[in-house]
Amino acid sequence: MTSTFRARTHRTVAVLLGTSLLAAGTVGTAVAGPGRPGQPDTRGTDDVLYRQGFDSLADGLLPRSEDPGIEPGTVGWTHEAPRGWSVENGPALAEGGVEEWRGWSFTTRDFWTDAEDQMRYRFARAQDVIAVADSDEFADGAGTPGSYATTLASTPIKVKGRDEVELTFDSHYRGWAGQTGRVTVAFDGGAETEVVRYDSDTVTDDYDGALLNATETVPVDVPRGAKRAVFRWHFTADANSWYWAIDSVSVRAPLPPADGDPTSAWVLSDIQGDPDDLGHAVRDLGAVRPDAEGLLMVGDIVASGSPEQWQDVDDVMTGAADVLPEQVVAGIGNHESYTGEPWEVLRDRFLDFAQRDRVWDEYLLEGSGGAVPVLVLGQEEARPPEVPMSREQVEWLRDRLAYWSDRDKQVLVMSHFPLGDTVSASWIPWYSDSYQYNDELTELLGAHPNAILFSGHTHYPFELGDWAVQRRTAGGHPDGFWTVNTGAVQVEWDARGESTSGIEEVVTRDVNRGLTVDVFDDRVVVEARDFGTVDAQAPDNDVNEVVRSVTIPNPLVG
Protein backbone atom coordinates (compact mmCIF):
# COMPACT_ATOMS: atom_id res chain seq x y z
CA MET A 1 0.00 0.00 0.00
CA THR A 2 1.35 3.39 -0.99
CA SER A 3 -0.29 6.43 0.56
CA THR A 4 -1.90 8.68 -2.03
CA PHE A 5 -2.41 11.54 0.44
CA ARG A 6 1.35 11.71 1.04
CA ALA A 7 1.70 15.20 -0.41
CA ARG A 8 -0.57 16.54 2.32
CA THR A 9 1.88 15.72 5.12
CA HIS A 10 5.32 16.74 6.19
CA ARG A 11 7.45 16.14 9.24
CA THR A 12 9.76 18.34 11.26
CA VAL A 13 12.74 16.12 11.85
CA ALA A 14 13.63 15.83 15.55
CA VAL A 15 17.34 15.70 14.79
CA LEU A 16 17.15 19.09 13.10
CA LEU A 17 15.20 20.48 16.02
CA GLY A 18 17.80 19.20 18.42
CA THR A 19 20.62 20.93 16.55
CA SER A 20 19.36 24.12 14.97
CA LEU A 21 17.10 25.29 17.80
CA LEU A 22 19.42 24.25 20.58
CA ALA A 23 22.21 26.13 18.86
CA ALA A 24 20.20 29.32 19.25
CA GLY A 25 20.61 29.07 23.01
CA THR A 26 18.07 28.63 25.79
CA VAL A 27 15.36 31.25 25.93
CA GLY A 28 12.52 31.84 28.38
CA THR A 29 12.35 31.78 32.15
CA ALA A 30 11.91 28.11 33.12
CA VAL A 31 14.67 26.96 35.43
CA ALA A 32 15.11 24.17 37.95
CA GLY A 33 13.17 24.74 41.14
CA PRO A 34 14.79 24.61 44.57
CA GLY A 35 15.58 21.02 45.53
CA ARG A 36 14.05 19.66 42.35
CA PRO A 37 16.72 19.56 39.65
CA GLY A 38 15.42 19.45 36.11
CA GLN A 39 11.96 20.76 36.95
CA PRO A 40 10.71 24.17 35.88
CA ASP A 41 10.24 26.71 38.65
CA THR A 42 6.79 28.16 38.02
CA ARG A 43 6.39 30.22 41.19
CA GLY A 44 6.58 33.54 39.36
CA THR A 45 4.33 32.60 36.45
CA ASP A 46 1.63 30.07 37.40
CA ASP A 47 -0.63 32.48 39.36
CA VAL A 48 -1.17 29.84 42.07
CA LEU A 49 -1.87 31.56 45.40
CA TYR A 50 -2.06 28.44 47.58
CA ARG A 51 -1.66 24.65 47.34
CA GLN A 52 -2.46 21.85 49.80
CA GLY A 53 -1.93 18.20 48.93
CA PHE A 54 -2.01 16.74 52.51
CA ASP A 55 1.22 14.85 51.80
CA SER A 56 3.00 16.63 54.66
CA LEU A 57 1.03 14.31 56.96
CA ALA A 58 2.61 11.14 55.57
CA ASP A 59 5.18 10.72 58.35
CA GLY A 60 2.51 11.00 61.04
CA LEU A 61 0.11 8.31 59.80
CA LEU A 62 -1.03 5.79 62.41
CA PRO A 63 -1.57 2.01 62.36
CA ARG A 64 -5.04 0.56 62.02
CA SER A 65 -7.18 1.16 65.11
CA GLU A 66 -10.67 -0.33 64.76
CA ASP A 67 -11.63 -0.86 61.12
CA PRO A 68 -12.54 -4.57 60.87
CA GLY A 69 -11.57 -4.78 57.19
CA ILE A 70 -7.94 -3.70 57.67
CA GLU A 71 -5.17 -5.91 58.97
CA PRO A 72 -3.79 -4.92 62.41
CA GLY A 73 -0.51 -3.03 62.08
CA THR A 74 -1.33 -1.54 58.69
CA VAL A 75 -0.31 2.13 58.73
CA GLY A 76 -2.31 4.78 56.90
CA TRP A 77 -4.55 7.27 58.77
CA THR A 78 -4.63 10.25 61.11
CA HIS A 79 -7.08 12.84 62.40
CA GLU A 80 -4.28 15.43 62.63
CA ALA A 81 -5.03 18.09 59.99
CA PRO A 82 -2.34 20.05 58.12
CA ARG A 83 -1.09 23.18 59.83
CA GLY A 84 -3.77 25.86 59.78
CA TRP A 85 -6.52 23.42 58.74
CA SER A 86 -9.17 22.03 61.09
CA VAL A 87 -11.91 19.41 61.33
CA GLU A 88 -15.20 19.99 63.17
CA ASN A 89 -17.46 17.00 63.77
CA GLY A 90 -21.13 16.99 64.66
CA PRO A 91 -21.88 15.98 68.27
CA ALA A 92 -23.34 12.64 67.21
CA LEU A 93 -19.88 11.45 66.11
CA ALA A 94 -18.41 11.70 69.60
CA GLU A 95 -19.16 8.07 70.47
CA GLY A 96 -19.58 4.80 68.59
CA GLY A 97 -18.51 4.01 65.06
CA VAL A 98 -15.05 3.21 63.67
CA GLU A 99 -12.31 5.50 64.95
CA GLU A 100 -10.40 5.80 61.66
CA TRP A 101 -13.41 7.37 59.94
CA ARG A 102 -14.73 9.60 62.74
CA GLY A 103 -15.28 12.69 60.59
CA TRP A 104 -12.81 13.91 57.98
CA SER A 105 -9.70 11.72 58.16
CA PHE A 106 -6.38 11.85 56.37
CA THR A 107 -5.37 8.57 54.79
CA THR A 108 -3.97 6.92 51.67
CA ARG A 109 -5.93 5.40 48.83
CA ASP A 110 -4.49 1.94 49.62
CA PHE A 111 -5.40 2.11 53.32
CA TRP A 112 -8.88 3.41 52.50
CA THR A 113 -9.44 0.69 49.90
CA ASP A 114 -8.17 -2.01 52.28
CA ALA A 115 -11.21 -1.22 54.41
CA GLU A 116 -13.43 -2.04 51.41
CA ASP A 117 -13.20 -1.21 47.72
CA GLN A 118 -16.71 -0.18 46.65
CA MET A 119 -15.28 2.13 43.96
CA ARG A 120 -12.89 3.81 46.42
CA TYR A 121 -9.91 2.60 44.41
CA ARG A 122 -11.16 4.53 41.38
CA PHE A 123 -9.76 7.71 42.95
CA ALA A 124 -6.71 7.11 40.78
CA ARG A 125 -5.51 10.72 40.48
CA ALA A 126 -5.02 10.81 44.27
CA GLN A 127 -1.40 11.35 45.32
CA ASP A 128 -0.19 9.91 48.64
CA VAL A 129 -2.29 11.37 51.53
CA ILE A 130 -5.90 12.36 50.85
CA ALA A 131 -8.79 13.68 52.96
CA VAL A 132 -11.78 11.33 53.39
CA ALA A 133 -15.24 11.57 54.96
CA ASP A 134 -16.77 8.07 54.93
CA SER A 135 -20.11 7.44 56.62
CA ASP A 136 -20.21 3.86 55.28
CA GLU A 137 -16.96 2.69 56.88
CA PHE A 138 -17.68 4.65 60.07
CA ALA A 139 -20.88 2.63 60.44
CA ASP A 140 -18.95 -0.67 60.63
CA GLY A 141 -18.37 -0.16 64.37
CA ALA A 142 -20.65 -0.71 67.36
CA GLY A 143 -22.93 2.05 68.61
CA THR A 144 -22.94 3.96 65.33
CA PRO A 145 -25.04 7.15 65.56
CA GLY A 146 -27.89 7.67 63.11
CA SER A 147 -26.32 10.69 61.42
CA TYR A 148 -22.89 11.73 60.19
CA ALA A 149 -21.80 15.38 59.94
CA THR A 150 -18.27 16.66 59.55
CA THR A 151 -16.57 19.79 58.18
CA LEU A 152 -13.02 20.28 56.90
CA ALA A 153 -11.84 23.92 56.95
CA SER A 154 -8.84 25.34 55.12
CA THR A 155 -6.30 27.71 56.56
CA PRO A 156 -7.06 31.37 55.77
CA ILE A 157 -5.78 32.01 52.22
CA LYS A 158 -4.61 35.45 51.12
CA VAL A 159 -6.85 36.97 48.45
CA LYS A 160 -6.19 40.65 49.12
CA GLY A 161 -6.38 42.78 45.98
CA ARG A 162 -8.22 40.10 43.98
CA ASP A 163 -11.64 40.48 42.35
CA GLU A 164 -11.91 36.74 41.68
CA VAL A 165 -10.04 33.55 42.44
CA GLU A 166 -10.40 29.99 41.20
CA LEU A 167 -10.66 27.05 43.61
CA THR A 168 -9.71 23.63 42.26
CA PHE A 169 -9.57 20.29 44.02
CA ASP A 170 -9.60 16.62 43.08
CA SER A 171 -12.87 15.07 44.19
CA HIS A 172 -14.20 11.52 44.52
CA TYR A 173 -17.85 11.63 45.59
CA ARG A 174 -20.32 8.76 45.79
CA GLY A 175 -23.83 9.87 46.72
CA TRP A 176 -26.76 8.35 48.55
CA ALA A 177 -30.31 9.49 49.30
CA GLY A 178 -30.23 12.22 51.93
CA GLN A 179 -26.45 12.68 51.67
CA THR A 180 -24.99 16.12 50.94
CA GLY A 181 -21.54 17.46 50.14
CA ARG A 182 -21.04 21.21 50.09
CA VAL A 183 -18.14 23.61 49.64
CA THR A 184 -18.45 27.09 51.10
CA VAL A 185 -16.23 30.15 51.27
CA ALA A 186 -16.09 32.82 53.98
CA PHE A 187 -14.06 36.02 53.81
CA ASP A 188 -12.43 37.55 56.88
CA GLY A 189 -14.59 35.57 59.31
CA GLY A 190 -17.87 36.53 57.64
CA ALA A 191 -20.85 34.44 56.54
CA GLU A 192 -20.34 31.34 54.42
CA THR A 193 -21.38 31.31 50.76
CA GLU A 194 -22.01 27.97 49.04
CA VAL A 195 -19.99 27.44 45.85
CA VAL A 196 -20.40 23.66 45.28
CA ARG A 197 -23.29 21.38 46.18
CA TYR A 198 -23.73 17.63 45.78
CA ASP A 199 -27.10 16.13 46.78
CA SER A 200 -29.80 13.89 45.33
CA ASP A 201 -30.97 16.71 43.06
CA THR A 202 -27.53 17.29 41.50
CA VAL A 203 -25.98 13.81 41.72
CA THR A 204 -27.25 10.42 40.59
CA ASP A 205 -27.41 8.49 43.86
CA ASP A 206 -25.19 5.42 44.34
CA TYR A 207 -23.24 5.82 41.09
CA ASP A 208 -22.45 8.98 39.14
CA GLY A 209 -19.37 8.53 36.95
CA ALA A 210 -19.04 12.28 36.42
CA LEU A 211 -18.12 12.74 40.10
CA LEU A 212 -15.75 9.81 40.57
CA ASN A 213 -12.04 10.64 40.17
CA ALA A 214 -13.04 14.13 39.08
CA THR A 215 -11.74 17.68 39.44
CA GLU A 216 -13.81 20.64 40.54
CA THR A 217 -12.85 24.07 39.19
CA VAL A 218 -14.89 26.81 40.82
CA PRO A 219 -14.73 30.57 40.12
CA VAL A 220 -15.17 32.53 43.35
CA ASP A 221 -15.92 36.27 43.51
CA VAL A 222 -13.89 38.15 46.13
CA PRO A 223 -15.70 41.00 47.91
CA ARG A 224 -14.10 44.43 47.73
CA GLY A 225 -11.56 44.84 50.51
CA ALA A 226 -11.50 41.17 51.53
CA LYS A 227 -8.11 39.95 52.72
CA ARG A 228 -8.43 36.21 53.43
CA ALA A 229 -10.71 33.34 52.42
CA VAL A 230 -11.51 30.11 54.27
CA PHE A 231 -12.96 27.23 52.26
CA ARG A 232 -14.97 24.50 54.00
CA TRP A 233 -15.98 21.04 52.85
CA HIS A 234 -19.21 20.02 54.64
CA PHE A 235 -20.37 16.39 54.50
CA THR A 236 -23.66 15.24 56.04
CA ALA A 237 -25.40 11.89 55.70
CA ASP A 238 -27.55 9.33 57.44
CA ALA A 239 -25.66 6.44 59.00
CA ASN A 240 -24.17 3.97 56.53
CA SER A 241 -24.43 6.19 53.44
CA TRP A 242 -21.46 6.71 51.08
CA TYR A 243 -18.33 8.91 51.05
CA TRP A 244 -16.37 11.90 49.80
CA ALA A 245 -12.61 12.15 49.28
CA ILE A 246 -10.59 15.17 48.14
CA ASP A 247 -6.96 15.93 47.30
CA SER A 248 -4.74 18.59 45.72
CA VAL A 249 -6.55 21.75 46.75
CA SER A 250 -5.33 24.90 45.04
CA VAL A 251 -6.40 28.53 44.74
CA ARG A 252 -5.17 30.58 41.80
CA ALA A 253 -5.84 33.77 39.92
CA PRO A 254 -8.19 33.03 37.02
CA LEU A 255 -6.95 33.26 33.47
CA PRO A 256 -7.88 36.41 31.55
CA PRO A 257 -9.74 35.99 28.25
CA ALA A 258 -7.63 34.32 25.57
CA ASP A 259 -5.72 36.75 23.39
CA GLY A 260 -5.28 36.26 19.64
CA ASP A 261 -5.91 33.25 17.43
CA PRO A 262 -4.71 29.78 18.43
CA THR A 263 -2.80 27.07 16.63
CA SER A 264 -5.35 24.28 16.33
CA ALA A 265 -5.27 20.52 15.90
CA TRP A 266 -7.76 17.69 15.48
CA VAL A 267 -7.42 14.48 17.51
CA LEU A 268 -8.91 11.08 16.63
CA SER A 269 -8.18 7.59 17.91
CA ASP A 270 -9.53 4.04 17.92
CA ILE A 271 -10.89 4.26 14.39
CA GLN A 272 -10.22 0.53 13.98
CA GLY A 273 -10.74 0.60 10.26
CA ASP A 274 -14.24 2.14 10.12
CA PRO A 275 -13.99 4.28 6.96
CA ASP A 276 -17.53 5.70 7.20
CA ASP A 277 -17.12 7.06 10.71
CA LEU A 278 -13.60 8.30 9.95
CA GLY A 279 -14.74 10.20 6.87
CA HIS A 280 -17.63 11.76 8.76
CA ALA A 281 -15.44 12.72 11.74
CA VAL A 282 -12.89 14.41 9.47
CA ARG A 283 -15.61 16.43 7.75
CA ASP A 284 -17.11 17.49 11.08
CA LEU A 285 -13.71 18.54 12.40
CA GLY A 286 -13.15 20.51 9.22
CA ALA A 287 -16.43 22.33 9.81
CA VAL A 288 -15.45 23.55 13.29
CA ARG A 289 -11.66 24.01 12.87
CA PRO A 290 -11.07 24.56 9.14
CA ASP A 291 -7.69 26.20 9.78
CA ALA A 292 -6.23 23.42 11.94
CA GLU A 293 -2.54 22.73 11.41
CA GLY A 294 -2.53 19.04 12.30
CA LEU A 295 -4.56 15.86 12.62
CA LEU A 296 -3.25 13.68 15.46
CA MET A 297 -4.26 10.01 15.01
CA VAL A 298 -3.60 8.37 18.38
CA GLY A 299 -3.44 4.70 17.41
CA ASP A 300 -5.77 1.84 16.44
CA ILE A 301 -6.22 3.43 13.04
CA VAL A 302 -7.01 0.01 11.54
CA ALA A 303 -8.62 -3.12 12.97
CA SER A 304 -5.82 -5.66 12.52
CA GLY A 305 -3.17 -4.24 10.17
CA SER A 306 -4.01 -5.88 6.86
CA PRO A 307 -3.11 -4.09 3.59
CA GLU A 308 -6.80 -3.88 2.71
CA GLN A 309 -7.62 -2.05 5.92
CA TRP A 310 -4.80 0.43 5.43
CA GLN A 311 -6.04 1.01 1.89
CA ASP A 312 -9.55 1.76 3.18
CA VAL A 313 -8.16 4.40 5.54
CA ASP A 314 -5.91 5.80 2.83
CA ASP A 315 -8.90 6.12 0.49
CA VAL A 316 -10.78 8.13 3.13
CA MET A 317 -7.79 10.42 3.65
CA THR A 318 -7.35 10.94 -0.06
CA GLY A 319 -11.04 11.72 -0.44
CA ALA A 320 -10.81 14.29 2.36
CA ALA A 321 -7.66 15.95 1.02
CA ASP A 322 -9.52 19.23 0.57
CA VAL A 323 -10.19 19.55 4.31
CA LEU A 324 -7.25 17.74 5.93
CA PRO A 325 -4.74 19.86 7.86
CA GLU A 326 -1.23 20.29 6.51
CA GLN A 327 0.23 17.64 8.82
CA VAL A 328 -1.12 14.20 9.70
CA VAL A 329 0.66 12.80 12.75
CA ALA A 330 0.06 9.09 13.35
CA GLY A 331 0.74 7.02 16.46
CA ILE A 332 0.83 3.22 16.57
CA GLY A 333 -1.75 1.23 18.55
CA ASN A 334 -2.25 -2.43 19.35
CA HIS A 335 -4.74 -3.04 16.51
CA GLU A 336 -2.07 -2.21 13.95
CA SER A 337 -0.53 -5.67 14.57
CA TYR A 338 -3.26 -8.30 14.90
CA THR A 339 -3.12 -10.21 11.59
CA GLY A 340 -0.68 -12.84 12.88
CA GLU A 341 2.03 -11.71 10.46
CA PRO A 342 5.54 -10.90 11.71
CA TRP A 343 5.79 -7.73 13.81
CA GLU A 344 8.24 -6.14 11.39
CA VAL A 345 5.80 -6.48 8.49
CA LEU A 346 2.93 -4.91 10.43
CA ARG A 347 5.12 -2.16 11.86
CA ASP A 348 6.35 -1.21 8.40
CA ARG A 349 2.79 -0.90 7.09
CA PHE A 350 2.11 1.57 9.87
CA LEU A 351 5.34 3.45 9.15
CA ASP A 352 4.44 3.70 5.49
CA PHE A 353 1.15 5.33 6.46
CA ALA A 354 2.88 7.56 9.03
CA GLN A 355 5.60 8.50 6.50
CA ARG A 356 8.53 8.11 8.85
CA ASP A 357 11.12 5.50 9.73
CA ARG A 358 10.42 4.90 13.43
CA VAL A 359 7.35 4.74 15.66
CA TRP A 360 8.40 7.71 17.84
CA ASP A 361 9.25 11.19 16.64
CA GLU A 362 8.70 14.94 16.93
CA TYR A 363 6.59 17.39 14.91
CA LEU A 364 5.94 21.12 14.97
CA LEU A 365 2.52 22.53 14.15
CA GLU A 366 2.97 26.10 12.88
CA GLY A 367 -0.11 28.30 13.20
CA SER A 368 -1.54 31.61 14.37
CA GLY A 369 -0.81 30.77 17.99
CA GLY A 370 2.85 29.96 17.30
CA ALA A 371 4.74 26.70 17.00
CA VAL A 372 3.27 23.75 18.93
CA PRO A 373 5.56 20.76 19.59
CA VAL A 374 4.05 17.27 19.30
CA LEU A 375 5.94 14.26 20.63
CA VAL A 376 4.82 10.80 19.46
CA LEU A 377 5.55 7.70 21.57
CA GLY A 378 4.93 4.07 20.73
CA GLN A 379 5.61 0.35 20.71
CA GLU A 380 8.95 -0.62 19.21
CA GLU A 381 8.90 -4.43 19.38
CA ALA A 382 6.44 -7.30 19.41
CA ARG A 383 4.33 -7.76 22.56
CA PRO A 384 4.57 -8.41 25.50
CA PRO A 385 4.51 -5.95 27.20
CA GLU A 386 1.93 -3.97 25.29
CA VAL A 387 4.39 -1.11 24.74
CA PRO A 388 8.02 -2.30 24.59
CA MET A 389 10.27 0.74 24.40
CA SER A 390 13.99 1.28 23.96
CA ARG A 391 16.05 3.29 26.40
CA GLU A 392 16.77 5.55 23.43
CA GLN A 393 13.09 6.48 23.15
CA VAL A 394 12.78 7.17 26.89
CA GLU A 395 15.89 9.34 27.01
CA TRP A 396 14.77 11.15 23.86
CA LEU A 397 11.50 12.01 25.60
CA ARG A 398 13.41 13.25 28.64
CA ASP A 399 15.53 15.51 26.43
CA ARG A 400 12.64 16.91 24.39
CA LEU A 401 10.50 17.67 27.45
CA ALA A 402 13.40 19.54 29.03
CA TYR A 403 14.02 21.37 25.77
CA TRP A 404 10.47 22.67 25.47
CA SER A 405 10.23 23.46 29.19
CA ASP A 406 13.28 25.68 28.77
CA ARG A 407 11.38 27.52 26.04
CA ASP A 408 8.19 28.00 28.10
CA LYS A 409 6.17 25.87 25.67
CA GLN A 410 3.28 23.58 26.40
CA VAL A 411 4.04 20.33 24.63
CA LEU A 412 1.53 17.79 23.29
CA VAL A 413 2.54 14.16 23.84
CA MET A 414 0.54 11.44 22.11
CA SER A 415 0.62 7.71 22.78
CA HIS A 416 -2.08 5.11 22.26
CA PHE A 417 -2.10 3.48 25.70
CA PRO A 418 -2.85 5.43 28.88
CA LEU A 419 -0.33 5.49 31.69
CA GLY A 420 -1.51 3.81 34.88
CA ASP A 421 -3.71 5.81 37.26
CA THR A 422 -4.36 8.66 34.85
CA VAL A 423 -7.48 8.88 32.68
CA SER A 424 -10.65 6.76 32.63
CA ALA A 425 -10.13 3.00 33.14
CA SER A 426 -6.38 3.28 33.73
CA TRP A 427 -6.95 2.29 37.37
CA ILE A 428 -8.08 -1.16 36.12
CA PRO A 429 -5.23 -3.69 36.45
CA TRP A 430 -5.03 -4.59 32.76
CA TYR A 431 -4.74 -0.91 31.77
CA SER A 432 -2.42 0.23 34.54
CA ASP A 433 0.90 -1.24 33.43
CA SER A 434 0.90 -1.34 29.63
CA TYR A 435 4.24 0.41 29.20
CA GLN A 436 7.58 -1.27 29.72
CA TYR A 437 8.62 1.88 31.61
CA ASN A 438 5.23 2.91 33.00
CA ASP A 439 6.47 4.29 36.33
CA GLU A 440 9.49 6.02 34.83
CA LEU A 441 7.41 7.68 32.12
CA THR A 442 4.86 8.85 34.70
CA GLU A 443 7.59 10.33 36.90
CA LEU A 444 9.26 11.92 33.89
CA LEU A 445 6.08 13.64 32.75
CA GLY A 446 5.28 14.55 36.36
CA ALA A 447 8.30 16.86 36.40
CA HIS A 448 6.86 18.92 33.50
CA PRO A 449 3.57 20.74 34.26
CA ASN A 450 3.59 22.01 30.66
CA ALA A 451 3.21 18.46 29.27
CA ILE A 452 -0.20 17.20 28.08
CA LEU A 453 -0.49 13.48 27.25
CA PHE A 454 -3.25 12.40 24.84
CA SER A 455 -4.08 8.69 25.07
CA GLY A 456 -6.75 6.42 23.61
CA HIS A 457 -7.26 2.64 23.75
CA THR A 458 -9.95 2.45 26.46
CA HIS A 459 -12.90 3.85 24.44
CA TYR A 460 -14.33 5.28 27.70
CA PRO A 461 -16.95 8.08 27.79
CA PHE A 462 -16.07 11.77 27.78
CA GLU A 463 -18.76 12.21 30.43
CA LEU A 464 -16.70 10.52 33.15
CA GLY A 465 -14.96 12.58 35.82
CA ASP A 466 -11.54 11.31 34.77
CA TRP A 467 -11.81 12.20 31.09
CA ALA A 468 -9.06 14.77 31.69
CA VAL A 469 -6.74 14.38 34.68
CA GLN A 470 -4.04 16.48 36.32
CA ARG A 471 -1.75 13.67 37.49
CA ARG A 472 0.76 14.39 40.25
CA THR A 473 3.74 12.25 41.19
CA ALA A 474 5.94 11.77 44.25
CA GLY A 475 8.81 14.23 44.03
CA GLY A 476 7.41 15.77 40.85
CA HIS A 477 6.22 19.28 40.17
CA PRO A 478 3.33 20.11 42.54
CA ASP A 479 1.01 20.51 39.56
CA GLY A 480 2.07 17.27 37.86
CA PHE A 481 1.10 16.90 34.20
CA TRP A 482 -2.20 16.77 32.32
CA THR A 483 -3.47 13.73 30.46
CA VAL A 484 -6.59 13.56 28.28
CA ASN A 485 -8.66 10.61 27.05
CA THR A 486 -9.14 10.93 23.28
CA GLY A 487 -12.40 8.95 23.18
CA ALA A 488 -13.06 6.70 20.19
CA VAL A 489 -14.34 6.78 16.64
CA GLN A 490 -15.39 3.13 17.03
CA VAL A 491 -17.74 2.04 19.90
CA GLU A 492 -17.69 3.01 23.57
CA TRP A 493 -16.78 0.95 26.64
CA ASP A 494 -17.36 1.43 30.36
CA ALA A 495 -16.66 -0.37 33.65
CA ARG A 496 -19.17 -2.15 35.88
CA GLY A 497 -18.64 -3.46 39.38
CA GLU A 498 -17.92 -2.51 42.98
CA SER A 499 -14.51 -4.12 43.33
CA THR A 500 -11.50 -3.35 41.15
CA SER A 501 -10.38 -6.98 41.31
CA GLY A 502 -13.74 -8.12 39.93
CA ILE A 503 -14.36 -5.32 37.46
CA GLU A 504 -16.11 -6.07 34.18
CA GLU A 505 -16.07 -4.02 30.99
CA VAL A 506 -19.06 -3.68 28.68
CA VAL A 507 -19.63 -2.14 25.27
CA THR A 508 -22.23 0.55 25.93
CA ARG A 509 -23.02 2.01 22.47
CA ASP A 510 -21.76 2.98 19.05
CA VAL A 511 -20.03 6.36 19.09
CA ASN A 512 -18.04 8.65 16.83
CA ARG A 513 -16.00 11.07 18.94
CA GLY A 514 -12.79 13.09 18.96
CA LEU A 515 -11.15 16.28 20.16
CA THR A 516 -10.21 19.73 19.01
CA VAL A 517 -7.13 21.32 20.59
CA ASP A 518 -6.56 25.07 20.52
CA VAL A 519 -3.13 26.24 21.69
CA PHE A 520 -2.58 29.82 22.80
CA ASP A 521 0.58 31.21 24.32
CA ASP A 522 -0.81 30.94 27.85
CA ARG A 523 -3.20 27.96 27.65
CA VAL A 524 -4.43 24.91 25.78
CA VAL A 525 -8.19 24.47 25.32
CA VAL A 526 -9.40 20.93 24.62
CA GLU A 527 -12.96 20.28 23.45
CA ALA A 528 -14.39 16.77 23.48
CA ARG A 529 -16.75 16.48 20.53
CA ASP A 530 -19.49 14.07 19.44
CA PHE A 531 -19.89 13.64 15.67
CA GLY A 532 -22.71 11.10 15.73
CA THR A 533 -22.46 7.62 14.21
CA VAL A 534 -22.87 6.87 10.52
CA ASP A 535 -22.77 3.89 8.20
CA ALA A 536 -22.85 3.22 4.47
CA GLN A 537 -26.67 3.40 4.43
CA ALA A 538 -26.82 6.62 6.49
CA PRO A 539 -23.60 8.49 5.73
CA ASP A 540 -24.44 11.79 7.38
CA ASN A 541 -26.13 13.39 10.40
CA ASP A 542 -26.50 16.80 12.02
CA VAL A 543 -24.54 15.97 15.20
CA ASN A 544 -21.40 18.02 15.87
CA GLU A 545 -21.53 18.90 19.54
CA VAL A 546 -19.13 19.78 22.34
CA VAL A 547 -19.63 17.25 25.14
CA ARG A 548 -17.26 19.05 27.53
CA SER A 549 -14.07 21.05 27.55
CA VAL A 550 -11.03 21.74 29.70
CA THR A 551 -8.70 24.74 29.77
CA ILE A 552 -5.12 23.90 30.76
CA PRO A 553 -3.04 26.96 31.71
CA ASN A 554 0.57 27.25 30.62
CA PRO A 555 2.30 27.52 34.02
CA LEU A 556 5.55 28.71 32.41
CA VAL A 557 4.19 32.09 31.32
CA GLY A 558 2.57 34.71 33.52
Side-chain angles (χ1 to χ4, degrees), residues 163-371:
D163 296 324
E164 184 182 24
V165 295
E166 189 175 85
L167 169 71
T168 67
F169 60 96
D170 293 342
S171 181
H172 191 67
Y173 182 89
R174 190 170 185 188
W176 193 249
Q179 178 179 300
T180 301
R182 300 186 302 126
V183 182
T184 65
V185 62
F187 297 95
D188 300 329
E192 295 181 47
T193 299
E194 186 174 284
V195 295
V196 173
R197 185 178 187 88
Y198 303 146
D199 58 23
S200 295
D201 292 329
T202 60
V203 176
T204 302
D205 287 334
D206 195 34
Y207 173 75
D208 192 327
L211 295 183
L212 295 179
N213 203 27
T215 290
E216 285 286 356
T217 301
V218 188
V220 177
D221 291 330
V222 179
R224 182 183 297 274
K227 297 178 180 179
R228 296 178 185 271
V230 172
F231 293 93
R232 292 179 172 88
W233 287 258
H234 300 273
F235 183 81
T236 58
D238 294 334
N240 204 30
S241 297
W242 279 126
Y243 51 74
W244 192 9
I246 69 169
D247 196 15
S248 301
V249 177
S250 69
V251 178
R252 60 164 289 148
L255 283 170
D259 184 26
D261 294 324
T263 298
S264 299
W266 310 344
V267 182
L268 296 173
S269 77
D270 297 278
I271 301 154
Q272 295 183 356
D274 189 323
D276 296 317
D277 273 347
L278 173 59
H280 182 75
V282 166
R283 292 289 175 180
D284 273 11
L285 286 166
V288 295
R289 294 296 187 279
D291 298 325
E293 298 299 326
L295 165 59
L296 313 185
M297 305 180 81
V298 191
D300 279 10
I301 299 166
V302 292
S304 64
S306 71
E308 294 79 12
Q309 291 168 2
W310 281 115
Q311 189 60 58
D312 286 344
V313 171
D314 191 72
D315 289 345
V316 172
M317 304 291 278
T318 301
D322 59 323
V323 297
L324 280 178
E326 182 68 18
Q327 296 200 72
V328 175
V329 183
I332 194 168
N334 50 302
H335 274 265
E336 273 69 63
S337 55
Y338 277 163
T339 66
E341 297 171 275
W343 157 253
E344 292 78 9
V345 172
L346 296 165
R347 177 203 60 202
D348 289 349
R349 285 182 193 147
F350 163 78
L351 291 175
D352 180 63
F353 176 83
Q355 300 175 30
R356 59 179 190 264
D357 55 8
R358 63 184 185 186
V359 297
W360 47 280
D361 221 323
E362 179 169 30
Y363 294 74
L364 274 184
L365 307 183
E366 299 273 6
S368 300

Side-chain angles (χ1 to χ4, degrees), residues 90-107:
L93 297 191
E95 297 181 5
V98 174
E99 177 62 21
E100 286 93 328
W101 315 114
R102 193 178 307 282
W104 281 100
S105 301
F106 305 94
T107 184

Side-chain angles (χ1 to χ4, degrees), residues 482-503:
W482 278 89
T483 177
V484 179
N485 168 24
T486 57
V489 172
Q490 173 74 247
V491 305
E492 185 175 84
W493 292 68
D494 207 345
R496 298 289 184 267
E498 292 283 314
S499 172
T500 304
S501 61
I503 207 74

Side-chain angles (χ1 to χ4, degrees), residues 79 87-94 101-104 148-152:
H79 287 314
V87 174
E88 181 179 345
N89 293 329
L93 297 191
W101 315 114
R102 193 178 307 282
W104 281 100
Y148 187 96
T150 183
T151 297
L152 173 64

Side-chain angles (χ1 to χ4, degrees), residues 362-384:
E362 179 169 30
Y363 294 74
L364 274 184
L365 307 183
E366 299 273 6
S368 300
V372 177
V374 179
L375 308 180
V376 188
L377 306 181
Q379 169 188 356
E380 292 186 65
E381 303 290 344
R383 292 177 291 270

